Amino acid sequence: DRCRVTILHFNDVYNIEERPNTEPVGGAARFATAMGKYRDQNPLVFFSGDCLNPSMMSSITKGKQMVPILNSLKVKAAVYGNHDFDFGVDELEDVTMETKFPWLMSNVIDTLTDKPLADGLEKTVITWGTKKIGLIGLVEEEWLVTLATVDKDDLKYLDYVEEGRRLAKELKEEGVDLVIALTHMRWPNDVRLAEQVEEIDLILGGHDHDYDVKKVNGKYIVKSGTEFRNFTKVEVDFIGPKYEISTMKIEVTSAYREDVEMKKIVEEFTSLMSDKTATTLGRIESELDGRFATVRTQESALGNFLTDVMVAATQADLAILNSGTLRSDSVHSAGDFTIKDLLTILPLIDPLVVLEATGTQIIQALENGVSQYPKTEGRFPQVSGIMFGFDPEGPPGSRVDPNSVKVDGEYLVPEKVYRVCTKAYIARGKDGYDVFKDCKPLTDPDEGPILSTVIQNHFTAVDIVKGLKPCRSGHHQSLIHVASVAK
Ligand SMILES: [Zn+2]
């Protein structure tokens, strides 16, 4: 009684186009050809999450391009990743209704429905010949509690070890031959899962983008890279009730030709992008001045708007954004605010991060921000939740009057710890904001919400609150607090 089950695994795909000039070039079209080589083995294709965002295309499509792509790759099951929630639970459910395979979410309960979050499945069983393969989908708490579009108080998180063990046991009792955990978590959590749950036979993970395979406690943990550049062929050879597993890394280089059907899908969406940029996101009541001469020297309506949304989306005490982030260098008139406006102002994928900073550190950051004034330097800060005055004539480093600084209407306390939202780039100490390198990040800078995405979600949330758009799931991004609008 021998049989071989072939599994093809991938995770974390964002751009469907290939990257030029760097091997492996990846891209969905060559990826399809590379996977197609194993078609005669009738492979089980599994995906470990993160596909709907971030990419320039997704800021226009909200990730819809991934539906025909995942369907065409014949994915059999997937687990949700953090970025799949970037546009909210409603948008995610719209996508999963269109995909022809189940999405798993075994250890997060939506307390508004008492079911797994985003209508995920707790477990599923796939029959392959005489073999039954059981699947569960496990995620870590770390990214779950930082989602901008889901309030963590609406979630019940169950430990992936406890829940993984319970479900894997159930599956084994139901006669499943192999239990696979699709996971979206960092390496140490996958290792803990492998060490502590005997009933799981194989872990196919995501979230980490570096390709790696490890054997822990006698079982394989596989992470298959990113961006359609790599995938893993896993062969499970059953010999009676026992099995042997081997893995092989496949690199999607330009040596693979582009699959014709998949290339059509990619081209359809790249051409759609240019048409869609005229789409209106919402209305703005007053003009937003994004000229460098304005945003790099003074408080501005545009800077206030963006940073107010940053505070609202992350529930931080205040936000500091370097004005160099704002790229449009033009005035956006009142009225319709389009995707083109948004992408002209924020063309880059800028993840946000929340840091713990003391009052003293915040003043140091502001000092850096105004140190180059009146030069129109990109470090000049746009802020929300905080007010301050500075003396432009003072020596750089001593321009901010500490007695002028207020957070949420209260004078800044030097030794008090505040939650500061900024972008990951600034948190890494760039643009002279070295002080933030010493601050403890409360959220993962690599996986934070994307600035342009939270701005888009703000307009969606406004429509929901105004009753212009229904919200089936009950989850949406928080709106700007009245106090910060009034400043
Ligand atoms: Zn991820």
Side-chain angles (χ1 to χ4, degrees):
D1 183 18
R2 282 169 167 270
C3 98
R4 168 177 289 180
V5 177
T6 301
I7 293 164
L8 303 179
H9 171 254
F10 69 115
N11 54 275
D12 295 78
V13 292
Y14 305 97
N15 289 283
I16 62 176
E17 309 94 325
E18 66 181 35
R19 63 173 167 182
N21 306 326
T22 315
E23 295 288 1
V25 294
R30 294 186 206 278
F31 190 84
T33 303
M35 272 202 171
K37 273 188 67 178
Y38 304 100
R39 195 168 294 139
D40 58 342
Q41 296 172 37
N42 194 15
L44 297 174
V45 180
F46 296 133
F47 175 67
S48 288
D50 271 6
C51 63
L52 302 186
N53 204 36
S55 69
M56 183 76 94
M57 185 180 283
S58 285
S59 57
I60 292 169
T61 62
K62 299 195 173 175
K64 297 280 191 304
Q65 71 277 16
M66 291 299 178
V67 170
I69 288 176
L70 297 182
N71 283 341
S72 162
L73 292 171
K74 304 213 160 36
V75 172
K76 284 279 189 297
V79 62
Y80 289 137
N82 49 316
H83 283 303
D84 300 319
F85 291 91
D86 280 2
F87 297 105
V89 174
D90 279 35
E91 292 290 338
L92 174 54
E93 288 180 356
D94 284 349
V95 164
T96 58
M97 274 189 281
E98 300 293 319
T99 51
K100 295 174 180 160
F101 53 86
W103 292 79
L104 293 151
M105 195 56 151
S106 305
N107 64 324
V108 186
I109 307 295
D110 183 342
T111 57
L112 303 184
T113 61
D114 246 353
K115 286 194 206 144
L117 182 60
D119 235 358
L121 288 188
E122 209 179 33
K123 57 179 178 174
T124 190
V125 177
I126 293 173
T127 305
W128 196 98
T130 59
K131 297 297 173 192
K132 280 185 174 171
I133 314 290
L135 290 140
I136 54 178
L138 300 171
V139 304
E140 64 184 10
E141 192 170 17
E142 285 86 337
W143 63 253
L144 192 79
V145 297
T146 65
L147 296 178
T149 57
V150 186
D151 187 336
K152 67 176 190 297
D153 295 336
D154 292 337
L155 300 177
K156 190 164 102 193
Y157 175 77
L158 306 166
D159 181 54
Y160 55 82
V161 164
E162 304 290 321
E163 212 45 23
R165 186 183 293 128
R166 181 180 76 78
L167 291 167
K169 248 187 197 159
E170 269 182 29
L171 286 163
K172 288 267 159 95
E173 281 160 14
E174 289 166 24
V176 153
D177 299 287
L178 191 82
V179 173
I180 300 175
L182 302 181
T183 65
H184 198 82
M185 47 174 88
R186 294 284 176 223
W187 265 109
N189 290 327
D190 281 306
V191 168
R192 180 176 162 246
L193 182 67
E195 283 170 347
Q196 299 197 14
V197 184
E198 293 302 328
E199 294 81 358
I200 291 174
D201 300 292
L202 173 64
I203 297 170
L204 301 176
H207 205 36
D208 290 298
H209 294 178
D210 291 328
Y211 188 99
D212 205 0
V213 175
K214 287 186 181 138
K215 206 168 185 183
V216 175
N217 189 24
K219 56 189 115 239
Y220 279 106
I221 307 172
V222 176
K223 305 233 186 193
S224 300
T226 184
E227 290 287 43
F228 297 113
R229 286 174 201 149
N230 313 99
F231 62 92
T232 308
K233 180 169 70 118
V234 182
E235 287 180 341
V236 186
D237 287 300
F238 289 97
I239 307 137
K242 291 199 159 112
Y243 63 81
E244 270 171 25
I245 291 181
S246 60
T247 73
M248 185 176 139
K249 176 183 184 180
I250 285 118
E251 303 234 294
V252 182
T253 65
S254 54
Y256 290 97
R257 60 175 179 77
E258 292 175 298
D259 179 83
V260 178
E261 288 303 308
M262 191 64 93
K263 199 181 176 190
K264 258 189 218 159
I265 298 173
V266 172
E267 283 174 347
E268 185 191 319
F269 278 95
T270 30
S271 63
L272 183 90
M273 270 179 68
S274 40
D275 305 342
K276 277 276 175 125
T277 52
T279 306
T280 299
L281 291 169
R283 283 188 64 78
I284 47 172
E285 303 303 328
S286 55
E287 73 173 23
L288 299 175
D289 185 352
R291 288 174 300 182
F292 289 173
T294 305
V295 296
R296 295 180 175 211
T297 58
Q298 57 186 270
E299 182 180 1
S300 69
L302 177 60
N304 287 344
F305 169 56
L306 300 177
T307 52
D308 285 351
V309 177
M310 285 166 68
V311 166
T314 61
Q315 319 274 305
D317 297 316
L318 61 123
I320 299 177
L321 181 67
N322 63 318
S323 56
T325 304
L326 317 180
R327 310 303 311 172
S328 76
D329 199 13
S330 57
V331 178
H332 306 266
S333 48
D336 287 345
F337 189 81
T338 63
I339 288 180
K340 188 172 178 200
D341 288 315
L342 179 67
L343 295 183
T344 322
I345 297 167
L346 302 172
L348 298 180
I349 306 291
D350 273 320
L352 299 178
V353 59
V354 179
L355 305 167
E356 268 184 359
T358 63
T360 306
Q361 288 174 315
I362 290 168
I363 289 180
Q364 278 179 279
L366 295 175
E367 285 287 7
N368 171 60
V370 300
S371 64
Q372 305 296 308
Y373 182 91
K375 283 192 276 179
T376 51
E377 287 288 333
R379 69 181 61 187
F380 188 86
Q382 296 295 324
V383 300
S384 171
I386 184 167
M387 291 172 61
F388 72 101
F390 73 100
D391 173 10
E393 308 286 312
S398 322
R399 289 180 168 181
V400 176
D401 174 6
N403 297 318
S404 73
V405 188
K406 284 182 173 179
V407 172
D408 201 18
E410 305 279 327
Y411 283 108
L412 187 84
V413 182
E415 56 280 357
K416 189 176 165 185
V417 173
Y418 298 88
R419 286 170 300 141
V420 180
C421 178
T422 188
K423 59 180 211 173
Y425 172 83
I426 294 300
R428 287 197 300 272
K430 303 289 177 168
D431 248 1
Y433 286 91
D434 297 68
V435 61
F436 283 144
K437 278 197 295 194
D438 303 327
C439 295
K440 182 181 156 204
L442 296 173
T443 59
D444 183 345
D446 296 328
E447 295 294 342
I450 308 301
L451 177 55
S452 62
T453 307
V454 302
I455 302 302
Q456 253 188 300
N457 290 342
H458 165 76
F459 287 107
T460 310
V462 168
D463 284 351
I464 290 169
V465 171
K466 282 185 179 165
L468 299 173
K469 187 182 196 301
C471 182
R472 293 184 313 264
S473 66
H475 303 285
H476 65 75
Q477 186 174 300
S478 299
L479 280 175
I480 297 170
H481 295 282
V482 177
S484 48
V485 174
K487 86 170 172 214

Coordinates of all heavy atoms in Angstrom, one line a residue, residues 180-213:
I180 N -2.2 18.7 8.2 CA -1.4 19.8 7.8 C -1.9 21.1 8.5 O -3.1 21.4 8.4 CB -1.3 20.0 6.3 CG1 -0.8 18.8 5.6 CG2 -0.5 21.2 5.9 CD1 -0.9 18.8 4.1
A181 N -1.0 21.9 9.1 CA -1.3 23.2 9.6 C -0.9 24.2 8.6 O 0.3 24.3 8.3 CB -0.7 23.4 11.0
L182 N -1.8 25.0 8.0 CA -1.4 26.2 7.3 C -1.3 27.3 8.3 O -2.3 27.5 9.1 CB -2.4 26.5 6.2 CG -2.7 25.4 5.2 CD1 -3.8 25.9 4.2 CD2 -1.5 25.0 4.4
T183 N -0.2 28.0 8.4 CA 0.0 29.0 9.4 C 0.4 30.3 8.8 O 1.0 30.4 7.8 CB 1.1 28.6 10.5 OG1 2.3 28.5 9.8 CG2 0.7 27.2 11.1
H184 N 0.1 31.4 9.6 CA 0.6 32.7 9.2 C 1.1 33.4 10.5 O 0.4 34.1 11.2 CB -0.5 33.6 8.6 CG 0.0 34.7 7.8 ND1 0.5 34.6 6.5 CD2 0.3 36.0 8.1 CE1 1.0 35.8 6.1 NE2 0.8 36.7 7.1
M185 N 2.4 33.0 10.8 CA 3.0 33.5 12.0 C 4.5 33.5 11.8 O 5.0 32.9 10.9 CB 2.6 32.6 13.2 CG 2.7 31.1 12.9 SD 2.3 30.1 14.4 CE 0.6 29.9 14.3
R186 N 5.2 34.1 12.8 CA 6.7 34.2 12.7 C 7.3 32.9 13.1 O 6.7 32.1 13.8 CB 7.2 35.3 13.6 CG 6.8 36.7 13.2 CD 7.6 37.2 12.0 NE 7.2 38.5 11.6 CZ 7.0 38.8 10.3 NH1 7.3 37.9 9.3 NH2 6.6 40.0 9.9
W187 N 8.5 32.7 12.7 CA 9.2 31.4 12.9 C 9.1 30.9 14.3 O 8.8 29.7 14.5 CB 10.7 31.5 12.5 CG 11.0 31.1 11.1 CD1 11.3 31.9 10.0 CD2 11.0 29.7 10.6 NE1 11.4 31.1 8.9 CE2 11.2 29.8 9.3 CE3 10.7 28.5 11.2 CZ2 11.3 28.6 8.5 CZ3 10.8 27.4 10.4 CH2 11.1 27.4 9.1
P188 N 9.4 31.7 15.4 CA 9.4 31.1 16.7 C 8.1 30.5 17.1 O 8.0 29.5 17.8 CB 9.7 32.3 17.6 CG 10.4 33.3 16.8 CD 9.8 33.1 15.4
N189 N 7.0 31.1 16.6 CA 5.7 30.5 16.9 C 5.5 29.2 16.1 O 4.9 28.2 16.7 CB 4.6 31.5 16.5 CG 4.6 32.7 17.5 OD1 4.9 32.5 18.7 ND2 4.2 33.8 17.0
D190 N 5.9 29.1 14.9 CA 5.8 27.8 14.2 C 6.7 26.7 14.8 O 6.3 25.6 14.9 CB 6.3 28.0 12.7 CG 5.2 28.7 11.8 OD1 4.1 28.1 11.8 OD2 5.5 29.7 11.2
V191 N 7.8 27.1 15.3 CA 8.7 26.2 16.0 C 8.0 25.7 17.3 O 8.0 24.5 17.6 CB 10.1 26.8 16.4 CG1 10.9 25.9 17.3 CG2 10.9 27.1 15.1
R192 N 7.4 26.6 18.0 CA 6.7 26.2 19.3 C 5.5 25.2 18.9 O 5.3 24.2 19.6 CB 6.1 27.4 19.9 CG 5.3 27.1 21.2 CD 4.9 28.4 21.9 NE 3.8 28.1 22.9 CZ 2.6 28.5 22.8 NH1 2.2 29.3 21.8 NH2 1.7 28.1 23.7
L193 N 4.8 25.5 17.8 CA 3.7 24.6 17.4 C 4.3 23.2 17.1 O 3.7 22.2 17.5 CB 3.1 25.2 16.1 CG 1.9 24.5 15.6 CD1 0.7 24.5 16.5 CD2 1.5 25.1 14.2
A194 N 5.4 23.2 16.3 CA 6.0 21.9 16.0 C 6.4 21.1 17.2 O 6.3 19.9 17.3 CB 7.2 22.1 15.0
E195 N 7.0 21.8 18.2 CA 7.5 21.2 19.4 C 6.4 20.6 20.3 O 6.5 19.6 20.9 CB 8.3 22.2 20.2 CG 9.7 22.4 19.7 CD 10.4 23.6 20.3 OE1 9.8 24.4 21.1 OE2 11.6 23.7 20.1
Q196 N 5.2 21.3 20.3 CA 4.2 21.0 21.3 C 3.0 20.2 20.8 O 2.3 19.7 21.6 CB 3.8 22.3 22.0 CG 4.9 23.0 22.6 CD 4.5 24.1 23.6 OE1 3.3 24.1 24.0 NE2 5.4 24.9 24.1
V197 N 2.8 20.1 19.5 CA 1.6 19.4 19.0 C 2.1 18.2 18.2 O 2.5 18.3 17.0 CB 0.7 20.3 18.2 CG1 -0.6 19.6 17.8 CG2 0.3 21.6 19.0
E198 N 2.0 17.0 18.8 CA 2.4 15.8 18.2 C 1.5 15.5 17.0 O 1.9 14.8 16.0 CB 2.4 14.6 19.2 CG 3.4 14.7 20.3 CD 4.9 14.8 19.7 OE1 5.1 14.2 18.6 OE2 5.7 15.5 20.3
E199 N 0.2 15.8 17.1 CA -0.8 15.4 16.1 C -0.7 16.1 14.8 O -1.3 15.6 13.8 CB -2.2 15.6 16.7 CG -2.6 14.7 17.9 CD -2.0 15.3 19.2 OE1 -1.4 16.3 19.2 OE2 -2.3 14.7 20.3
I200 N 0.0 17.2 14.7 CA 0.2 17.9 13.4 C 1.4 17.2 12.7 O 2.5 17.0 13.3 CB 0.4 19.4 13.6 CG1 -0.9 20.0 14.1 CG2 0.9 20.0 12.3 CD1 -0.8 21.5 14.5
D201 N 1.3 16.9 11.4 CA 2.3 16.2 10.7 C 3.2 17.1 9.9 O 4.4 16.8 9.6 CB 1.7 15.1 9.8 CG 0.9 14.1 10.5 OD1 1.5 13.3 11.3 OD2 -0.4 14.1 10.4
L202 N 2.7 18.2 9.5 CA 3.4 19.1 8.6 C 2.9 20.5 8.8 O 1.7 20.8 8.9 CB 3.2 18.7 7.1 CG 3.7 19.5 6.0 CD1 5.2 19.6 6.0 CD2 3.2 18.9 4.6
I203 N 3.9 21.5 8.8 CA 3.5 22.9 9.0 C 3.9 23.7 7.7 O 5.1 23.7 7.4 CB 4.1 23.5 10.2 CG1 3.6 22.8 11.5 CG2 3.9 25.0 10.3 CD1 4.4 23.1 12.7
L204 N 2.9 24.3 7.0 CA 3.2 25.1 5.8 C 2.9 26.5 6.2 O 1.8 26.9 6.4 CB 2.4 24.6 4.7 CG 2.6 23.1 4.3 CD1 1.6 22.8 3.1 CD2 4.0 22.9 3.8
G205 N 4.0 27.3 6.4 CA 3.8 28.6 7.0 C 4.0 29.8 6.0 O 4.4 29.6 4.8
G206 N 3.7 31.0 6.5 CA 3.8 32.2 5.7 C 4.3 33.3 6.7 O 4.8 33.0 7.7
H207 N 4.0 34.6 6.3 CA 4.3 35.8 7.1 C 5.8 36.1 7.0 O 6.2 37.3 6.8 CB 3.9 35.6 8.6 CG 3.7 36.9 9.3 ND1 3.1 38.0 8.7 CD2 3.9 37.2 10.6 CE1 3.0 38.9 9.6 NE2 3.5 38.5 10.7
D208 N 6.7 35.1 7.2 CA 8.2 35.4 6.9 C 8.4 35.2 5.4 O 7.9 34.3 4.8 CB 9.0 34.4 7.7 CG 9.0 34.7 9.2 OD1 9.4 35.8 9.6 OD2 8.5 33.8 9.9
H209 N 9.2 36.1 4.8 CA 9.3 36.2 3.4 C 10.6 35.4 2.9 O 10.7 35.2 1.7 CB 9.4 37.6 2.9 CG 8.0 38.3 3.0 ND1 7.8 39.6 2.7 CD2 6.8 37.9 3.5 CE1 6.6 40.0 3.0 NE2 6.0 38.9 3.5
D210 N 11.5 35.1 3.8 CA 12.7 34.4 3.4 C 12.4 32.9 3.3 O 11.8 32.3 4.2 CB 13.8 34.6 4.4 CG 14.3 36.0 4.4 OD1 14.3 36.7 3.3 OD2 14.7 36.6 5.5
Y211 N 12.9 32.3 2.2 CA 12.6 30.9 2.0 C 13.4 30.1 3.0 O 14.6 30.4 3.2 CB 13.1 30.5 0.5 CG 12.6 29.1 0.3 CD1 11.5 28.8 -0.5 CD2 13.4 28.0 0.8 CE1 11.1 27.5 -0.7 CE2 13.0 26.7 0.6 CZ 11.8 26.4 -0.2 OH 11.4 25.2 -0.4
D212 N 12.8 29.2 3.7 CA 13.5 28.3 4.6 C 12.7 27.1 4.9 O 11.4 27.1 4.9 CB 13.8 29.1 5.9 CG 15.0 28.5 6.6 OD1 15.6 27.5 6.1 OD2 15.4 29.0 7.7
V213 N 13.4 26.0 5.2 CA 12.7 24.7 5.6 C 13.5 24.2 6.8 O 14.7 24.2 6.8 CB 12.8 23.7 4.5 CG1 12.2 22.3 5.0 CG2 12.0 24.1 3.2

